[in-house]
């Protein structure tokens, strides 16, 4: 294996390209009427989801450009501008969405390929003041493409996503994103193969921690709000309510 093939940025960018290709292939099977139909996200049509995926690519180009140049370039001009861009693009015909998705993806790929090794280690600013290492931007983009493919409601479920992505994102959500959050119930999340995370509130009221088990895909679907978790094993009579991931 070459050094380049071992490079995590090379691997992540390849995964982004592959996921984008699957998304484009699936979307090409739609028509203009299907694009206007509701997605699985409340209040959003499939067109809203597609416009968001494209604008997210553009926004992450800003983030990567900041990493490359050292300039402070906002991910989005403002929350209002972000929402307006999505709304404005949602009602376009299928052909326009496909062109936009492909063009914005190419722009993201180009921006990522332009980063030198030192730039990947820089701290970048995302939405709402969130900061992260530039090297994590690629996986953030992969998450956007994969989960919003599911949100389109066109036959792709979390169970259909690559196992490598599911495992990695589950580790992020349970091990980092929800860990210690007071608005997340105290959980012990365990996969069928024995991996586990103690996540959510550190000190559960009354010392109660709900144990939830299942496949990695089932757990990720529930934790990210893509499924209700009906097939999961649990120590409580009902699964606790979770806050939105965003």
């Amino acid at each position: 294996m070459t050094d380049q093939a071992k490079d995590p940025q090379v691997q992540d960018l390849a995964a982004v390209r592959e996921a984008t290709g699957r998304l484009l292939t699936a979307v090409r099977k739609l028509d203009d009427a299907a694009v206007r139909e509701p997605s699985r996200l409340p209040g959003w049509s499939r067109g809203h989801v597609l416009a968001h995926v494209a604008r997210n690519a553009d926004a992450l180009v800003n983030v990567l450009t900041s990493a490359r140049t050292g300039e402070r370039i906002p991910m989005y001009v403002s929350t209002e501008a972000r929402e307006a861009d999505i709304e404005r693009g949602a009602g376009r015909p299928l052909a326009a969405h496909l062109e936009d998705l492909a063009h914005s993806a190419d722009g993201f790929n180009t921006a990522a390929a332009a980063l030198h090794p030192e730039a990947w280690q820089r701290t970048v600013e995302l939405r709402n003041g969130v900061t992260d290492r530039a090297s994590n931007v690629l996986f953030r983009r992969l998450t956007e493409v994969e989960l919003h493919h599911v949100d389109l409601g066109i036959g792709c479920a979390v169970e259909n996503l690559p196992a490598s992505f599911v495992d990695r994102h589950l580790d992020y959500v349970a091990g980092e994103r929800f860990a210690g959050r007071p608005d997340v119930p105290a959980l012990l999340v365990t996969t069928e193969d024995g991996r586990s995370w103690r996540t959510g509130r550190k000190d559960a009221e009354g010392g109660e921690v709900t144990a939830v088990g299942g496949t990695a895909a089932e757990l990720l679907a529930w934790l990210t709000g893509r499924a209700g978790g009906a097939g999961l094993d649990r120590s409580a009579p009902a699964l606790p309510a979770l806050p939105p991931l965003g």
Side-chain angles (χ1 to χ4, degrees):
M1 183 180 292
T2 65
D3 289 342
Q4 186 180 42
K6 295 178 183 178
D7 188 329
Q9 279 74 58
V10 172
Q11 294 178 0
D12 281 352
L13 185 54
V16 170
R17 287 171 171 155
E18 192 273 335
T20 302
R22 281 190 281 106
L23 175 64
L24 287 168
T25 296
V27 173
R28 288 189 187 102
K29 298 176 183 178
L30 303 179
D31 56 28
D32 290 348
V35 169
R36 292 191 294 270
E37 290 174 352
S39 73
R40 297 178 64 184
L41 293 179
W44 270 16
S45 68
R46 291 190 179 112
H48 284 89
V49 175
L50 296 175
H52 166 63
V53 172
R55 299 289 71 76
N56 171 262
D58 291 343
L60 290 177
V61 167
N62 292 336
V63 174
L64 293 176
T65 302
S66 293
R68 179 175 59 83
T69 65
E71 299 177 55
R72 187 182 181 280
I73 304 173
M75 183 172 176
Y76 293 98
V77 174
S78 66
T79 298
E80 294 75 18
R82 172 182 176 271
E83 294 174 353
D85 283 344
I86 293 170
E87 193 65 40
R88 184 165 47 249
R92 295 171 298 176
L94 174 64
H97 279 292
L98 286 169
E99 181 179 1
D100 191 17
L101 285 168
H103 184 267
S104 59
D106 286 344
F108 177 83
N109 294 339
T110 299
L115 259 67
H116 50 83
E118 293 80 6
W120 286 115
Q121 305 309 311
R122 289 177 175 163
T123 298
V124 292
E125 185 173 341
L126 303 165
R127 287 184 63 204
N128 302 322
V130 173
T131 59
D132 201 352
R133 186 183 298 177
S135 58
N136 292 329
V137 169
L138 294 174
F139 192 72
R140 286 179 177 273
R141 174 60 182 172
L142 180 61
T143 298
E144 291 285 327
V145 176
E146 296 285 31
L147 291 187
H148 286 314
H149 190 163
V150 173
D151 294 334
L152 289 172
I154 54 177
C156 179
V158 173
E159 289 78 5
N160 304 126
L161 301 178
S164 58
F165 167 77
V166 171
D167 286 345
R168 186 173 172 185
H169 197 48
L170 175 60
D171 185 57
Y172 167 69
V173 174
E176 296 183 41
R177 188 72 180 271
F178 278 171
R181 278 180 53 168
D183 59 338
V184 176
L187 301 171
L188 177 63
V189 176
T190 305
T191 62
E192 287 185 333
D193 60 6
R195 290 172 292 150
S196 65
W197 299 262
R198 169 64 174 86
T199 195
R201 289 192 294 267
K202 292 183 178 180
D203 298 314
E205 185 176 350
E208 293 295 329
V209 177
T210 301
V212 183
T215 67
E218 289 171 336
L219 290 165
L220 181 63
W222 175 61
L223 289 170
T224 61
R226 267 72 189 185
L232 294 172
D233 297 324
R234 56 186 182 271
S235 63
L239 288 169
L242 297 174
L245 188 60

